[in-house]
């Protein structure tokens, strides 16, 4: 089998055969892609198909063609529609990460040490990316399996298999965090620079988010399994009732008549697309129907008289464009000034120049409002002070903003 010798040659092949490859990728779920149809997509140039077969892009099977798994998985990975969850990639990255850390610690040449350091950063990024993609694939496969798989036994087996993959992903996340933490006092203390610090921070954040997503996926798997168990119980009960009906033992061995008699299944009937006419005999004999008819006729007579209680004209005073000025304190501006002050919140609020006389009670109200609305940006300490019979905590601006 021939191989592509350069990126240019590979890209040119993709550009030349994009119509055929796109059509085969769209129909990858089908068991057959006829050779004649592929010949039509290549403008009836059989040498182009033979070229793809010789270079390992397509595989010939009688009168049919198939795309090789290498290119099929490449397209699925790039487009992020992979259906297979492969956790071995993360384990390989972990092993490669440990190897490069060991090489870095043993290397004396600065240039080669930097190459190992760069490889460590690349491995960390690949671990985070592979973990996030596995979690996304797991979530998508979980929904597709439950909603589209028609066979109960297969659906149950697939869900259990997905749950096993979920546990494997969670285990690899734990191992990845352990590797980063275990190497913290040795490698990361020596090789920690601005880029490495940013990569480690991003990887920890992505692993943490992935772990939380796995917790939600676990809840969804349990919910789906419970639904399947419930549906299975309903199915078994219906199958048992059908057996009793076929044996003419349904009414003898069950209380189905009593149960059905207590139900009102009219709400399950489909709504008709026409107006239901009332029974004439019921209208002639029912006192309730007669009273309803009188109410309808009385309402129609009132409507025939035309509109009543017409509102008067709008006073001209309401149409004037004079505005009302509301005198209030802008808490956002007060907080912005506090952020630049460097003092604690209570002292700043009590001494702030509001541009108008403000009572002490109102200042206490502003203090409480600022502490409540901007709690995420404030640092609440355990120290308290008191003044004018008011005890207050010392609240400062959070420094890591």
């Amino acid at each position: 089998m021939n191989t592509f010798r350069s990126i240019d040659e590979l890209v040119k092949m993709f550009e030349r055969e994009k119509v055929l490859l796109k059509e085969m990728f769209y129909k990858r779920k089908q068991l057959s892609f006829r050779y004649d149809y592929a010949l039509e997509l290549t403008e009836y140039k059989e040498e182009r198909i033979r070229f793809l077969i010789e270079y390992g892009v397509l595989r010939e099977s009688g009168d049919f063609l198939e795309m090789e798994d290498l290119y099929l998985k490449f397209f699925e990975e790039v487009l992020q529609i992979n259906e297979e969850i492969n956790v071995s990639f993360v384990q390989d990255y972990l092993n490669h990460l440990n190897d490069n850390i060991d090489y870095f610690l043993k290397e004396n040449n600065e240039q080669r040490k930097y190459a190992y350091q760069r490889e460590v950063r690349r491995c960390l990024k690949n671990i985070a990316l592979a973990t996030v993609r596995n979690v996304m694939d797991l979530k998508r496969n979980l929904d597709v399996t439950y909603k589209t798989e028609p066979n109960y036994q297969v659906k149950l087996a697939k869900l259990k298999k997905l749950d096993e993959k979920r546990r494997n992903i969670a285990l690899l996340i734990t191992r990845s965090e352990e590797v980063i933490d275990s190497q913290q006092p040795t490698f990361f203390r020596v090789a920690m620079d601005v880029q490495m610090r940013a990569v480690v921070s991003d990887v920890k954040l992505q692993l943490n988010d992935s772990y939380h997503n796995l917790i939600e996926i676990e809840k969804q798997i349990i919910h789906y399994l419970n639904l399947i168990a419930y549906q299975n119980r309903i199915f078994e009960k219906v199958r048992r009732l059908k057996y009793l009906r076929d044996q003419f033992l349904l009414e003898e061995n069950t209380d189905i008549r009593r149960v059905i008699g207590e139900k009102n299944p009219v709400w399950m009937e489909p709504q008709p697309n026409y107006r239901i006419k009332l029974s004439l005999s019921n209208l002639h004999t029912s006192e309730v129907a007669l009273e309803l008819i009188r109410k309808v006729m009385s309402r129609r007579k009132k409507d025939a008289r035309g509109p009543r209680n017409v509102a008067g004209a709008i006073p001209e005073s309401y149409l004037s464009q004079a505005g009302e000025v509301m005198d209030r304190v802008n808490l956002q501006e007060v907080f912005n000034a506090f952020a630049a002050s460097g003092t604690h919140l209570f002292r700043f609020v009590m001494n702030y120049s509001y541009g108008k006389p403000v009572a002490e009670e109102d200042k206490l109200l502003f203090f409480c409002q600022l502490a409540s609305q901007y709690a995420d940006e404030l640092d609440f300490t355990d120290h308290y002070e008191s003044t004018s019979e008011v005890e207050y905590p010392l609240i400062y601006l959070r420094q890591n903003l």
Side-chain angles (χ1 to χ4, degrees), residues 98 101 105 178-189:
N98 288 323
I101 289 176
L105 296 175
E178 290 176 353
V179 169
I180 296 176
D181 294 337
S182 63
Q183 298 292 345
Q184 191 73 27
T186 55
F187 171 77
F188 291 107
R189 180 171 55 83

Side-chain angles (χ1 to χ4, degrees), residues 302-349:
K302 292 180 180 179
D303 295 339
R305 298 174 185 174
R308 295 178 293 109
N309 298 329
V310 178
I314 299 176
E316 293 183 0
S317 60
Y318 289 172
L319 301 178
S320 62
Q321 298 181 357
E324 180 181 357
V325 179
M326 300 183 66
D327 189 10
R328 61 174 60 181
V329 176
N330 191 335
L331 294 180
Q332 181 64 49
E333 293 182 2
V334 177
F335 180 79
N336 293 338
F338 162 70
S341 65
T343 183
H344 60 79
L345 182 62
F346 186 86
R347 179 185 299 171
F348 178 84
V349 171

Side-chain angles (χ1 to χ4, degrees), residues 3-39:
T3 58
F4 295 100
R5 296 181 177 84
S6 65
I7 299 295
D8 294 336
E9 189 177 359
L10 179 63
V11 172
K12 287 181 181 179
M13 182 274 297
F14 282 145
E15 176 64 24
R16 184 177 64 251
E17 309 299 346
K18 63 181 181 180
V19 177
L20 174 61
L21 295 178
K22 181 175 67 174
E23 191 69 20
M24 294 189 69
F25 182 74
Y26 286 162
K27 297 182 178 181
R28 65 190 183 280
K29 295 295 183 181
Q30 299 181 5
L31 299 179
S32 60
F33 192 92
R34 297 194 62 85
Y35 189 95
D36 297 339
Y37 183 45
L39 191 61

Side-chain angles (χ1 to χ4, degrees), residues 55-148:
Y55 278 78
V57 180
L58 301 181
R59 180 172 59 245
E60 187 177 11
S61 178
D63 294 334
F64 303 98
L65 292 175
E66 298 177 0
M67 187 181 298
E68 287 289 351
D69 293 341
L70 176 64
Y71 293 92
L72 184 62
K73 292 184 180 299
F74 169 74
F75 291 138
E76 290 179 346
E77 288 289 340
V78 172
L79 298 176
Q80 296 186 7
I81 56 174
N82 186 27
E83 295 184 355
E84 295 184 4
I85 303 170
N86 193 344
V87 296
S88 63
F89 287 161
V90 180
Q91 185 61 50
D92 293 339
Y93 288 138
L94 285 174
N95 296 334
H96 192 53
L97 174 65
N98 288 323
D99 293 339
N100 280 275
I101 289 176
D102 185 57
Y103 299 154
F104 177 87
L105 296 175
K106 294 179 180 179
E107 183 59 56
N108 296 324
N109 185 277
E110 291 297 330
Q111 185 175 0
R112 287 194 292 269
K113 288 184 69 173
Y114 177 76
Y116 293 136
Q117 183 185 15
R118 185 177 57 184
E119 188 66 19
V120 168
R121 291 199 302 267
R122 191 182 69 85
C123 289
L124 289 173
K125 292 179 181 179
N126 288 334
I127 289 173
L129 179 61
T131 303
V132 171
R133 286 190 175 181
N134 280 335
V135 173
M136 294 173 58
D137 294 339
L138 179 64
K139 179 66 171 63
R140 182 176 61 254
N141 291 342
L142 179 65
D143 293 336
V144 171
T145 299
Y146 179 77
K147 296 176 182 178
T148 62

